[in-house]
Amino acid sequence: MIYDWLVKNDRLSSRKYLVGESYGGFRGPRVTYYLQSQLGIALNGVVLVSPYLNPTVDDNGDLSPLPWMMTLPSIPRRNLEREKKLTPQAMAEVIAYTQGEYATTLLKGRSDPEATKDMIQHVTELTGLDPAFVRVSGGRIETGAYLREVFREEGKTGIGLRLKCDVVRSFSICTGAAGERSNPGQYYRAHDHGDGRLHHAYSGLEIDARYNALSYDVNRMWDRDDDLRNGSVTQLRQAVAADPKMRS
């Protein structure tokens, strides 16, 4: 389709950029490398917004510190933003801690109780969350859990628009009313109906056809085989290696 459009509209010599968001981050590098290697179409740049590049990055969270290292920086970032203290230096310190002491403490597990205690205290300070919640979580904070807990005192729950990548995760937040806990010590998993509300903002496009903000039929047809789990980091690497001038 891309090739045919470029030929039909005499745009083969134009500058070309490909933008992919979420699952488009999975497809983007693969489409780019296919255009390069099979059709001789070079792109000037690839923009990946919240890219689904590496589906296996969240695997083995009970054993590996990597999923929690990926998640942690975005939560202090949001906390700093709420406190109007967000600066590049502050985030550099968060990332350095995540890649250093935080990771090594998670790897130690129960072998160093003092290090774990210090880690939980530091994560509490970074995230602004209830110390009891951080302690129960073992310092492993999932973004959905953060969204449920951060507004608890206000009787709200957060809905995250996650921006995922393989270095740092971030997200924006809107809030809605939250249910009450039957047990004050219980941290519940709320039903997230945010997608339905958010899609209304995207469904006002002026087109001469029905616009499906979210197609369950398409979602059911998504092939979740081993090829999906391989992600598309390899194709991104190949595409950049094939054309060093392409920006990503």
Side-chain angles (χ1 to χ4, degrees), residues 107-176:
L107 286 170
K108 290 177 181 177
R110 298 180 180 179
S111 66
D112 193 337
E114 285 301 314
T116 299
K117 180 180 177 181
D118 291 343
M119 180 265 287
I120 289 173
Q121 180 178 346
H122 195 52
V123 170
T124 299
E125 295 170 354
L126 288 175
T127 61
L129 291 170
D130 181 352
F133 173 74
V134 178
R135 185 173 63 254
V136 169
S137 302
R140 297 168 170 83
I141 311 299
E142 192 264 336
T143 52
Y146 169 75
L147 291 168
R148 290 190 296 275
E149 296 302 317
V150 68
F151 299 108
R152 185 175 294 280
E153 295 302 319
E154 302 174 33
K156 299 178 180 179
T157 185
I159 299 167
L161 303 177
R162 292 177 294 172
L163 307 179
K164 299 179 287 186
C165 65
D166 287 339
V167 180
V168 177
R169 293 184 177 179
S170 188
F171 50 86
S172 58
I173 294 177
C174 61
T175 61

Side-chain angles (χ1 to χ4, degrees), residues 13-65:
S13 61
S14 299
R15 296 181 66 84
K16 293 172 283 293
Y17 296 88
L18 182 66
V19 180
E21 185 268 340
S22 189
Y23 280 116
F26 173 86
R27 296 183 178 99
R30 291 178 174 232
V31 170
T32 298
Y33 186 60
Y34 184 88
L35 287 170
Q36 288 177 332
S37 62
Q38 302 300 311
L39 299 177
I41 301 296
L43 298 182
N44 296 91
V46 178
V47 181
L48 303 178
V49 183
S50 180
Y52 190 58
L53 279 173
N54 187 358
T56 62
V57 73
D58 289 329
D59 288 358
N60 301 316
D62 292 338
L63 300 174
S64 171

Side-chain angles (χ1 to χ4, degrees), residues 64-96:
S64 171
L66 188 58
W68 312 111
M69 292 172 63
M70 302 289 291
T71 300
L72 182 63
S74 64
I75 297 173
R77 182 192 184 281
R78 183 58 184 163
N79 189 46
L80 289 166
E81 188 177 34
R82 291 179 67 213
E83 296 179 347
K84 302 188 184 303
K85 297 179 181 179
L86 180 61
T87 65
Q89 177 59 33
M91 278 309 301
E93 294 175 3
V94 170
I95 293 171

Side-chain angles (χ1 to χ4, degrees), residues 26-34 36 53 227 230-242 246:
F26 173 86
R27 296 183 178 99
R30 291 178 174 232
V31 170
T32 298
Y33 186 60
Y34 184 88
Q36 288 177 332
L53 279 173
D227 190 47
N230 288 334
S232 56
V233 175
T234 298
Q235 288 80 6
L236 180 60
R237 185 185 298 114
Q238 291 172 326
V240 173
M246 186 187 72

